[in-house]
Amino acid sequence: MLGRMAFSDLLKQLGDVGRFQQIQVTLVILPLLLLTSHNVLQNCTAAIPTHHCRPPAPGQAGRPESCLHFTSPPRGPHGTEANSTEATGPCTNGCIYDSSIFPSAVVIEWDLVCSHRALRQLAQSLYMVGVLLGAIMFGYLADRLGRRKVILSHLQTAVSGVRAAFAPSFLYCTFRSLGMSVPGITLNSLTLNMEWTPIHTRAHVGILAGYFFSLGQCVLAGVAHAVPQWRHLQLLVSVPFFASFVYSWFFIESAHWVSSGRLDLALKALKRVAQINGKQDEGAKLSMEVLQSSLQKELTLGKGQASAIELLRCPTLRHLFLCLSMLWFATSFAYYRLVMDLQGFGVSIYLIQVIFGVVDRPAKLVCFPVINHLGRRPAQASLLLVGICILVSGLIPRDQSVVRISLAVLGKGCLGSFFNCIFLYTGELYPTMIQQTGLGMGSTMAPVDIMSPLVSMTAELFPSMPLFIYGTVPVIASAVTAFLPETLGYPLPDTMQDAAYRGHYSSAPRRRGKPQQQQQEQQKQLVPLQASA
């Protein structure tokens, strides 16, 4: 008979990492290959080619300028143009673009240069507004409706991407902003996988998902180079989500989430998993009585749904929320500095995109033994290295492009490993009943590309000022990890009490080797908190 056990023990009894886990984990993370493309797609679809003003009339010539033309070039006594800057003006008839590198882009189609240059940034900013709203909305819906139902938002990603590809005007921005489902897919995919895998494999699953994100950057570079037409590229990275929407109907909802409200549905899901894993005998032993006994703590302390307001009302959750929000903000603040201005490095954007994708692989390989053996907190030190790389690059002269690119690549590698850890770490800190709400609210700090224009304006005061700002934030934020508990070797928290316990225990000396046994011993000594309404 199955005795009393935690949910993670149930998974081990039903096949550990069996056929079900292998199939569902693979299918869940497969769309992440193209999901990365949507975040950085504007590097390719809105690249700025070399350009100069279109002359208003055939007789008005002069040296081509990017955003100036000669209105009425003064002539010297021998028919030569006088050197006068007063005879120039802004482009009025559009620009002529060099199509040798970028034959098609939204910048070319709608003349988003010179006085209209801000509209190019507007497209990305509106997309990030959609990501911000999506992180809040889909995080809340995942805790209310379930992980699987929110992952079905693949359809919204596909539809909004296809509509953007056929946008007849700058309504393109509107359709891009409807990609708010991207964070819903990302966060819930990782959570669904994490809740269906045992404790000892969570780091493996997180690293695997991180590799798919990195590989996606290389895929985007190759596809963008092979398909230079921006509308075709937009279609190629959007249409596959119709297929992922279809097969995501067959995902099994997280029994870990369902057990907090519908024990009968949790039992049905666990029996189905046991059957797929070839553990029919163990599945037959499962019953409502066994689940009620095994999950007694979750059922007695975790009743009810926690709302987003609990993140600020409950002291333990408030502490986690503020610390993790700072880490998310700093991570994305540095990320968009490194990956959203590829043309600023002065080399092929396709080459630098591939390099950024490739460097993530060894970085995450180094990160794996750190998070799996030393702990989640030591792995957060990579954020400090990111800030140092950006700060040092601000001291390097712009003509030393090799040194600047080397620092950017090193920083991107550290950032890739940190992203991998912060996703895993955040999911392990929040209790199940509010896990996706916490992930969503915390990651709303991520769409900081909205602030990029403001930070870029500081270059008018001092050319390297933006780099110093982008570098200082992660350096300061890295100190926040000292105030967060370790999660290595511990089961996912099911209730507010579990989260409170973990914060309490993190301040005590930790004995290696039997974290779960220590948790069970010390859990008995804690005074239960009031269950959240």
Side-chain angles (χ1 to χ4, degrees), residues 189-225:
S189 295
L190 297 174
T191 301
L192 185 64
N193 279 342
M194 189 162 52
E195 291 179 343
W196 270 123
T197 51
I199 295 173
H200 67 278
T201 59
R202 289 204 304 257
H204 297 75
V205 172
I207 292 292
L208 182 62
Y211 273 119
F212 269 72
F213 275 117
S214 302
L215 184 59
Q217 297 180 55
C218 300
V219 169
L220 175 62
V223 173
H225 187 268

Side-chain angles (χ1 to χ4, degrees), residues 243-258:
S244 61
F245 167 72
V246 173
Y247 73 65
S248 61
W249 278 96
F250 300 97
F251 290 156
I252 299 179
E253 180 59 272
S254 167
H256 197 256
W257 173 82
V258 172

Side-chain angles (χ1 to χ4, degrees), residues 205-437:
V205 172
I207 292 292
L208 182 62
Y211 273 119
F212 269 72
F213 275 117
S214 302
L215 184 59
Q217 297 180 55
C218 300
V219 169
L220 175 62
V223 173
H225 187 268
V227 185
Q229 298 295 322
W230 77 266
R231 292 184 185 274
H232 297 166
L233 178 60
Q234 180 77 45
L235 275 176
L236 279 176
V237 301
S238 302
V239 169
F241 285 95
F242 285 111
S244 61
F245 167 72
V246 173
Y247 73 65
S248 61
W249 278 96
F250 300 97
F251 290 156
I252 299 179
E253 180 59 272
S254 167
H256 197 256
W257 173 82
V258 172
S259 63
S260 62
R262 292 286 304 276
L263 209 58
D264 57 329
L265 295 180
L267 178 62
K268 181 180 178 181
L270 289 169
K271 283 182 173 291
R272 187 178 173 192
V273 169
Q275 182 180 11
I276 296 173
N277 284 342
K279 296 287 185 178
Q280 288 86 349
D281 293 341
E282 297 295 336
K285 298 175 184 177
L286 282 175
S287 64
M288 293 291 290
E289 292 74 18
V290 171
L291 282 185
Q292 287 174 346
S293 174
S294 301
L295 305 176
Q296 182 178 4
K297 185 188 66 171
E298 289 87 340
L299 295 173
T300 55
L301 299 181
K303 290 181 180 180
Q305 292 274 355
S307 63
I309 198 65
E310 291 296 331
L311 292 174
L312 297 177
R313 180 189 300 167
C314 175
T316 300
L317 293 183
R318 182 170 62 245
H319 173 80
L320 292 176
F321 173 68
L322 294 177
C323 291
L324 290 172
S325 294
M326 182 64 180
L327 290 176
W328 276 100
F329 175 82
T331 305
S332 296
F333 197 62
Y335 177 81
Y336 287 105
R337 164 65 190 95
L338 292 172
V339 305
M340 290 308 299
D341 187 24
L342 299 186
Q343 287 185 279
F345 291 105
V347 297
S348 168
I349 63 170
Y350 307 116
L351 175 62
I352 197 70
Q353 183 77 53
V354 170
I355 293 175
F356 277 174
V358 170
V359 74
D360 276 359
R361 300 182 185 184
K364 289 174 180 176
L365 189 62
V366 172
C367 177
F368 175 72
V370 175
I371 65 176
N372 211 33
H373 298 288
L374 298 182
R376 291 11 173 181
R377 283 202 299 184
Q380 312 298 312
S382 56
L383 184 62
L384 175 63
L385 297 178
V386 173
I388 292 175
C389 288
I390 296 177
L391 288 173
V392 173
S393 65
L395 303 175
I396 305 299
R398 296 189 66 85
D399 57 346
Q400 297 186 22
S401 58
V402 175
V403 179
R404 293 177 65 244
I405 292 176
S406 299
L407 286 170
V409 169
L410 177 60
K412 177 59 174 63
C414 294
L415 199 58
S417 65
F418 184 80
F419 251 127
N420 215 70
C421 187
I422 192 66
F423 269 114
L424 177 65
Y425 195 35
T426 304
E428 290 179 335
L429 283 172
Y430 283 119
T432 303
M433 61 194 306
I434 201 170
Q435 186 180 67
Q436 283 303 104
T437 301

Side-chain angles (χ1 to χ4, degrees), residues 127 159-161 163-168 171-179:
Y127 172 78
V159 172
S160 61
R163 289 295 294 127
F166 290 102
L171 283 173
Y172 163 82
C173 287
T174 303
F175 296 124
R176 280 276 286 163
S177 66
L178 291 177

Side-chain angles (χ1 to χ4, degrees), residues 447-465:
V448 294
D449 195 48
I450 304 169
M451 300 174 56
S452 294
L454 297 177
V455 177
S456 299
M457 289 173 60
T458 62
E460 301 294 331
L461 302 175
F462 183 67
S464 296
M465 183 63 72

Side-chain angles (χ1 to χ4, degrees), residues 9-22:
D9 297 319
L10 279 175
L11 291 180
K12 287 185 178 181
Q13 290 282 56
L14 300 179
D16 203 9
V17 184
R19 186 184 303 124
F20 162 74
Q21 278 82 4
Q22 295 169 14

